[in-house]
Amino acid sequence: MVSACELGEAIHLCIAHRWGGIGPNSNARYLHAASQLAQETILLRLPAAAILFRDEGYRLAANRETLRAANRIAARLVFYRHLLPGAGQREEFARVTLVWNGARCIEPDWEAEIYGSLPLPLRAALFAAPAPAPRLPGG
């Protein structure tokens, strides 16, 4: 489950999963999900960045200006991991510092937990019913 919030200049992205979901590949799965979220966030704000995510396009000198603009957006991303309690294990909510290499997230730093359990306002927002999808004109 993913929740997102844009607050000031920062874009906060929280990836939540059950404790039982942590396994040998959970770090790789987290990095993959974080990379997908980062790319989609960048593409929503900068559609021209699509060229960066194809065929190592972020490495090409011809794409340098687009890469700089995409990196400015990526610098605004703040990631969190919310481990839901289960199987006798406690809840944990922690910030995860990731390095953005121009196309994906790498080198996770699993920082110390921020909250032993999710504060009530965040819990209410996380489990609230999703807002209805906006209606497009003519549809």
Side-chain angles (χ1 to χ4, degrees), residues 2 15 27-39 79 105:
V2 174
I15 301 172
N27 288 353
R29 287 192 320 258
Y30 187 96
L31 281 173
H32 180 74
S35 294
Q36 284 297 121
L37 290 167
Q39 288 179 7
F79 287 93
C105 297

Side-chain angles (χ1 to χ4, degrees), residues 37-47 49 53 70 73-74 100:
L37 290 167
Q39 288 179 7
E40 290 176 19
T41 302
I42 290 167
L43 289 171
L44 283 171
R45 288 162 171 75
L46 182 66
F53 308 132
I73 296 167
W100 176 253

Side-chain angles (χ1 to χ4, degrees), residues 2 9 20 27 31 38 46 49 56 65 67 69 74 84-85 92 104 107 112 116 119 124 128 130 133 135 137:
V2 174
E9 290 296 313
N27 288 353
L31 281 173
L46 182 66
E56 302 288 315
E65 288 306 313
L67 179 63
L84 300 173
E92 182 181 297
R104 68 189 55 84
E107 300 179 18
R135 296 193 74 139

Side-chain angles (χ1 to χ4, degrees), residues 42 46 52 66-76 100-103:
I42 290 167
L46 182 66
L52 301 174
T66 304
L67 179 63
R68 285 187 183 112
N71 287 346
R72 283 192 295 275
I73 296 167
R76 298 174 51 203
W100 176 253
N101 77 351

Side-chain angles (χ1 to χ4, degrees), residues 1 3 16-17 82-85 91 118-130:
M1 180 168 43
S3 55
H17 57 88
H82 182 200
L83 302 175
L84 300 173
E91 182 177 34
L118 204 59
L120 291 178
L122 289 176
R123 184 179 305 282
L126 182 65
F127 295 108

